[in-house]
Amino acid sequence: MSTGSLLAADAPAGDAFHTPPVPLPDGTPGDPIRARLLDNPAATVPGGENWLVLHRSEAADGSPVTTSGTIALPDRTAHPVPAGGYPLIS
């Protein structure tokens, strides 16, 4: 994921971030819709970057829905991005 390409100056602040756009943009489950730096110190992992992401998912009936999550990245100066990207741990 390229977080820089997802950042938008108009990304809603606070809980409004989780309100999905209507209609949802085209895509498949897992496609990001928006992202912003996570600004809740209680939820951040120290020593890197923490992102809040809203992305497409799929309901049990197959209809499109949105879900949100966080992405924690290590300090890229201390831990440069390896070829192929960082491993995913969930």
Side-chain angles (χ1 to χ4, degrees), residues 53-78:
V53 180
L54 185 73
H55 57 90
R56 288 181 62 96
S57 191
E58 195 172 85
D61 66 1
S63 62
V65 296
T66 59
T67 58
S68 64
T70 59
I71 297 173
L73 298 171
D75 179 329
R76 292 183 231 187
T77 302

Side-chain angles (χ1 to χ4, degrees), residues 1-11 32-36 51 76:
M1 176 182 115
S2 172
T3 50
S5 64
L6 295 173
L7 279 181
D10 60 351
I33 296 170
R34 63 173 70 122
R36 72 170 191 220
W51 295 87
R76 292 183 231 187

